[in-house]
Amino acid sequence: MCSVKKVYTLVFLRKGKQVLLGMKKRGFGEGKWNGFGGKVETGETFAEGAAREVKEECGLDVDSEELEETAVIEFEFKGDPVKLEMHVFQTRNFSNEIIESEEMRPEWFEEEFVPFDTMWVDAKRWYHHMFANKKFTAFFLLDGYDIDFARTSCVLVNYDFIRQI
């Protein structure tokens, strides 16, 4: 089982029926489209870390107070002692100009044309919840890049218990 937990953030910037994704250019997830995010630094809240990562990866400014926490997703990889805890946020409030960074190449996608074939395999199992503005938790056990086990729970009314996880 997992003996180490790493906490990350993931942010989706929304405009109408579009979502801004970034093509990962290096490191973990290279060659895959995803939201913007990364590690939470010491002293940061999840939302503060998420806002910082958006700025670093695509140049946009977001107010951490305006980020809506949509989900908490846990990932385990078979044979790896590390569990990833991902805090997923979305917002429609941002400013500044989109830039390509050393890490990400941003591009807008219509919700119905999200490129799931070039994303992490779990994405198609939960994006629809996010696009419907549902709060949810999920767990994925991955065997390499394939899903070995998945569990998703939606919360339609009360989201407070997720903040306590």
Side-chain angles (χ1 to χ4, degrees):
M1 256 330 197
C2 293
S3 60
V4 177
K5 179 171 72 170
K6 292 185 178 180
V7 178
Y8 292 89
T9 63
L10 189 60
V11 180
F12 293 92
L13 301 151
R14 310 284 302 282
K15 180 173 67 174
K17 290 288 190 178
Q18 294 182 316
V19 61
L20 185 65
L21 300 176
M23 171 54 73
K24 183 80 166 163
K25 295 165 49 176
R26 65 178 188 193
F28 187 66
E30 182 177 352
K32 295 188 179 298
W33 291 102
N34 205 351
F36 303 92
K39 296 176 186 170
V40 177
E41 294 181 356
T42 303
E44 287 182 323
T45 65
F46 299 137
E48 289 167 345
R52 176 186 47 76
E53 288 284 347
V54 168
K55 180 68 172 177
E56 291 174 4
E57 293 182 348
C58 72
L60 292 175
D61 293 313
V62 297
D63 182 343
S64 62
E65 299 285 323
E66 293 186 14
L67 288 172
E68 178 186 344
E69 191 166 9
T70 299
V72 176
I73 304 175
E74 292 184 337
F75 297 93
E76 289 184 25
F77 293 84
K78 275 191 167 180
D80 190 336
V82 178
K83 176 186 281 189
L84 305 181
E85 179 181 290
M86 187 76 63
H87 291 259
V88 181
F89 296 88
Q90 59 180 328
T91 186
R92 294 178 184 278
N93 299 314
F94 47 87
S95 61
N96 214 345
E97 296 295 317
I98 296 172
I99 60 163
E100 181 171 339
S101 66
E102 292 181 11
E103 192 168 347
M104 300 285 263
R105 179 173 49 86
E107 188 174 325
W108 287 103
F109 289 91
E110 296 292 331
E111 289 176 7
E112 64 267 21
F113 298 114
V114 167
F116 289 116
D117 290 345
T118 51
M119 299 176 77
W120 285 98
V121 68
D122 61 280
K124 61 185 162 193
R125 301 223 181 184
W126 61 266
Y127 269 47
H128 63 285
H129 294 303
M130 179 180 67
F131 289 155
N133 295 311
K134 293 181 181 176
K135 312 295 184 185
F136 65 95
T137 61
F139 171 81
F140 295 96
L141 176 60
L142 302 172
D143 188 0
Y145 290 116
D146 297 318
I147 292 177
D148 194 57
F149 175 80
R151 178 183 69 233
T152 305
S153 302
C154 286
V155 179
L156 301 176
V157 178
N158 186 349
Y159 186 50
D160 292 333
F161 79 94
I162 292 176
R163 295 185 190 280
Q164 298 171 6
I165 293 177

